[in-house]
Amino acid sequence: KEAQAVPGGVMTLSRYMLDQARINTDYQDLEQLMGSIQYACKTIANLVSRAGISDLTGLQGDGGSVNVQGEEQKKLDVISNDVLKNALRSSGKLGVIASEEEDTPVLVEEAFNSKFVAVFDPLDGSSNIDAAISTGTIFGIFEETEECIVDDDADMDEASQVCLLNTLQPGGSLVAAGYCMYSSSTILVFTMGDGVNGFTLDPQIGEFVMTHPNIQVPKRGKIYSFNEANSPDWPENLQTYVTDLKNGDGESGEKYSSRYIGSMVGDVHRTLLYGGIFGYPGDINNPNGKLRLLYEGAPMAFICEQAGGMATTGTQRVMDINPEKVHQRVPTYLGSAEDVTELINALKKEKAE
Ligand code: P6P
C-alpha cells in the first residue's frame, strides 16, 4: 500500500471528504462530522501510543470503576469516551450519542441543528492496552428519525425518550460507519454506503492519508478467527465446522490458520484485508455472544458488506436486526462471502447422529 497521489500532493481524509461534499451536497454535514471524528481518533491514537509513558495504563480509579457492561473500566476507556463525546458535541450536528461507556444515551445540548445520532465504542479491546496490543474506536452514524429538540423549555423527560429512540435503529439505517485501529500504524477505515476506504495516519503531517482505496474483502480466505477457548460451549455443528477448517475438510479443501487477538477492530481489519471469517458465537452460557449490536456488530457489518463481504448472526443479516436495548448483544460472524455462506450452511446442519 502507498499514499494515493493526487495533483498537488496526497489524498487526505479531509480532502477526500471535501471532494465528496462537493460532488454530493448530502455529504456536507457528514464532512463536518468526519472532521470531528478524525480529530478525536488522532487524539486517542496519541494517548494510546503514550499510555505507558504518561501513566495511562491500568484501571480507572482504584479499580472500582465498572461500566454498564459490568467490565472494569480502564483509564483510557474513560478518557477516550470523553474525547470522542466532546469532539462530536463540538460538531453541532448531533442530537444524541450512545457509547459503550455510557449507561444510557447522552443528549447533546449544543446541537443547534442536530441531524445525526452517533453510536460508538470509544476504545474497543482496551483490555489489551497494558500489553500494547491493537485497540480501536468503532463508530456508527444514523440520521435522526424523530426530531430531537433539546432546548431550554423542552420537557427533558419527553425529549429524552424521543431522542433515545433515535439510537435504536437497525444497521440497515446507518448512513456512515467506521473504525480507527491503533496498532503498528493508525488506520481509519469507513464507509458512507458507497464503498470502503482506508486512511493511514502520517504522524509527520498529522493527517490521515488515503492508503487503502475501495477495500474489497477476498471472496474466500484461509483464516478463522474465534476464541476457541469457548468451543466446548458452542453448538456442535459450529464445532464441526471449525474442526473441518483445521483439517482441510472444509469446502475449499484448504487447511486454515487460526488468528485471534481478542480485539475486534484488529481481528476485523485483518479479515477485511486478508479474507477468512471472524466471529463471536453465542454459546450455552451466552446465547447472544459478547459483541454489542449497536456499536460493534452493526457498524462492522455495514463496512464488511460494503467491502463485498457478509455479516450474519448465523441465521440473519446483522444489519436487519432492530435493536431493543442500547447495549444488547448479538452473535456475530463476518468476513469473506464464501466463508460466511459456508458457516451459515454448517449451522443449518442437524446435530450429527
Ligand atoms: P474474549 C473486547 O473486549 C471485545 O469486546 C472485542 O474487541 C473482542 O473481539 C472481544 O471482546 C474479545 O472477547 O471473550 O474473546 O476476550
Side-chain angles (χ1 to χ4, degrees), residues 86-352:
N86 295 332
L88 288 168
R89 275 191 164 124
S90 69
S91 75
K93 295 291 177 187
L94 283 159
V96 62
I97 52 185
S99 163
E100 182 199 46
E101 301 302 333
E102 300 283 346
D103 298 4
T104 60
V106 175
L107 303 187
V108 179
E109 302 74 27
E110 297 89 330
F112 45 85
N113 62 340
S114 73
K115 176 178 179 182
F116 296 114
V117 177
V119 294
F120 56 84
D121 185 350
L123 196 61
D124 186 74
S126 57
S127 57
N128 288 310
I129 277 283
D130 296 4
I133 294 167
S134 308
T135 52
T137 296
I138 307 171
F139 61 89
I141 306 291
F142 295 102
E143 285 182 338
E144 285 182 343
T145 50
E146 310 280 334
E147 193 176 15
C148 177
I149 302 181
V150 182
D151 54 25
D152 297 345
D153 51 20
D155 168 339
M156 283 314 282
D157 289 342
E158 186 188 323
S160 300
Q161 286 314 312
V162 167
C163 296
L164 304 198
L165 284 177
N166 281 324
T167 59
L168 298 179
Q169 298 187 48
S173 299
L174 283 164
V175 295
Y179 59 80
C180 190
M181 181 178 71
Y182 312 114
S183 183
S184 52
S185 55
T186 297
I187 301 182
L188 196 152
V189 172
F190 79 105
T191 182
M192 297 187 291
D194 51 1
V196 179
N197 294 294
F199 299 79
T200 302
L201 182 62
D202 180 345
Q204 289 177 354
I205 59 173
E207 287 286 353
F208 280 102
V209 173
M210 184 181 271
T211 48
H212 297 73
N214 189 27
I215 294 175
Q216 294 291 314
V217 187
K219 282 293 166 230
R220 165 79 71 177
K222 294 197 291 187
I223 297 170
Y224 68 89
S225 184
F226 300 95
N227 182 343
E228 280 196 81
N230 301 329
S231 63
D233 299 332
W234 292 346
E236 201 168 306
N237 46 24
L238 176 61
Q239 296 185 39
T240 304
Y241 164 73
V242 173
T243 301
D244 287 347
L245 295 184
K246 288 180 184 176
N247 299 328
D249 296 335
E251 273 175 17
S252 71
E254 296 274 357
K255 187 172 164 38
Y256 278 48
S257 292
S258 171
R259 293 284 184 277
Y260 187 79
I261 62 171
S263 186
M264 185 184 193
V265 172
D267 282 319
V268 168
H269 187 67
R270 182 202 55 247
T271 303
L272 274 186
L273 298 190
Y274 295 178
I277 185 166
F278 163 80
Y280 206 105
D283 61 37
I284 46 178
N285 302 318
N286 304 292
N288 290 322
K290 178 181 181 182
L291 300 178
R292 274 61 54 140
L293 170 63
L294 200 55
Y295 41 79
E296 288 175 320
M300 290 305 207
F302 188 27
I303 294 167
C304 192
E305 290 196 0
Q306 281 290 313
M310 286 174 69
T312 180
T313 64
T315 55
Q316 64 180 106
R317 275 176 82 221
V318 172
M319 291 180 73
D320 287 343
I321 300 177
N322 283 298
E324 286 151 21
K325 290 192 171 38
V326 172
H327 300 295
Q328 82 182 56
R329 299 172 193 266
V330 65
T332 305
Y333 305 88
L334 57 82
S336 296
E338 290 179 13
D339 285 296
V340 175
T341 301
E342 183 176 353
L343 167 94
I344 291 168
N345 294 330
L347 294 181
K348 285 175 186 167
K349 285 177 187 153
E350 291 307 312
K351 269 194 173 191

